[in-house]
Amino acid sequence: MWTWTKKLILPVTLALFVLMGAADIGAQVVYGQPTMGQTQVVYYSWKVEQGGDETTISQFMIPVTGFIPVRDNFDLNFFVANSSNKVEVTGTDYELAGLGDFRMQANHSFADDRLLISAAVNLPTGKKELDFDQEWLVLRALSLTFLYLPMRRFGEGFAFSLLAGGALPFPENIRVGAVVIY
């Protein structure tokens, strides 16, 4: 079933690729940094043995990140990831695959980069329901804190955050800063 979020993925992805191909802008928060998009392939596999039982956990993940300079001292960053996970417990395979939530952050600096205001939004493009027989066990395995797996959550839902920060130089090459996040 195609939900509104799955229907939105293709147009948003195409728009981001078009924006990544836009001409470089001469100044932004990080001066001279061009529009950039990046993806990679990440694979992790763990084997856990306990009381004679063996459990294998593997994750194949493809994150996509990007940076879009909008104008002087203003830029956008985005992140989305897709992963396929498999847990094998005593010869039985359990799988969980899907897209995570789409995150976008806007940053604007002021006063010669001494003040920064940032806003971020998390759009719910990830999983909304789990197949209890197949996917619940995989999600529990992903949440084991002693294993390093880069994608543990598939959907956090809609979220919005604001950040305001500042930094001041002091003598002797010392800088002092403060940040407030909501």
Side-chain angles (χ1 to χ4, degrees):
M1 167 95 30
W2 283 91
T3 62
W4 69 271
T5 54
K6 288 182 181 176
K7 290 178 184 177
L8 189 64
I9 292 170
L10 181 62
V12 168
T13 303
L14 289 174
L16 291 173
F17 281 115
V18 168
L19 287 173
M20 286 189 303
D24 291 346
I25 294 177
Q28 60 271 347
V29 174
V30 178
Y31 182 76
Q33 187 173 358
T35 300
M36 185 256 335
Q38 177 180 338
T39 188
Q40 61 183 346
V41 175
V42 180
Y43 179 77
Y44 282 90
S45 182
W46 295 93
K47 187 181 291 187
V48 178
E49 295 179 18
Q50 183 178 12
D53 291 332
E54 184 176 283
T55 302
T56 303
I57 304 166
S58 61
Q59 183 176 84
F60 177 78
M61 182 179 105
I62 302 173
V64 177
T65 59
F67 171 83
I68 304 165
V70 178
R71 63 183 175 95
D72 191 23
N73 297 318
F74 182 58
D75 61 53
L76 299 171
N77 296 290
F78 66 88
F79 174 83
V80 67
N82 188 23
S83 82
S84 177
N85 302 276
K86 182 177 170 182
V87 174
E88 183 182 336
V89 181
T90 59
T92 305
D93 291 343
Y94 301 92
E95 296 181 3
L96 172 62
L99 189 65
D101 287 349
F102 178 82
R103 293 184 201 114
M104 179 159 290
Q105 179 175 335
N107 304 303
H108 197 305
S109 66
F110 303 92
D112 290 328
D113 295 336
R114 293 182 188 192
L115 297 174
L116 175 70
I117 293 180
S118 181
V121 65
N122 190 73
L123 300 176
T125 55
K127 282 206 168 276
K128 299 199 180 15
E129 294 181 16
L130 295 175
D131 175 0
F132 189 78
D133 295 333
Q134 272 287 319
E135 299 173 331
W136 183 252
L137 179 72
V138 178
L139 193 60
R140 285 190 56 203
L142 290 176
S143 67
L144 295 173
T145 58
F146 59 88
L147 300 176
Y148 177 76
L149 295 161
M151 187 169 171
R152 295 177 182 270
R153 296 183 191 146
F154 283 82
E156 298 176 30
F158 179 78
F160 183 76
S161 63
L162 296 172
L163 174 142
L168 295 172
F170 275 87
E172 307 290 327
N173 294 326
I174 297 173
R175 290 177 180 80
V176 175
V179 173
V180 176
I181 299 173
Y182 171 77

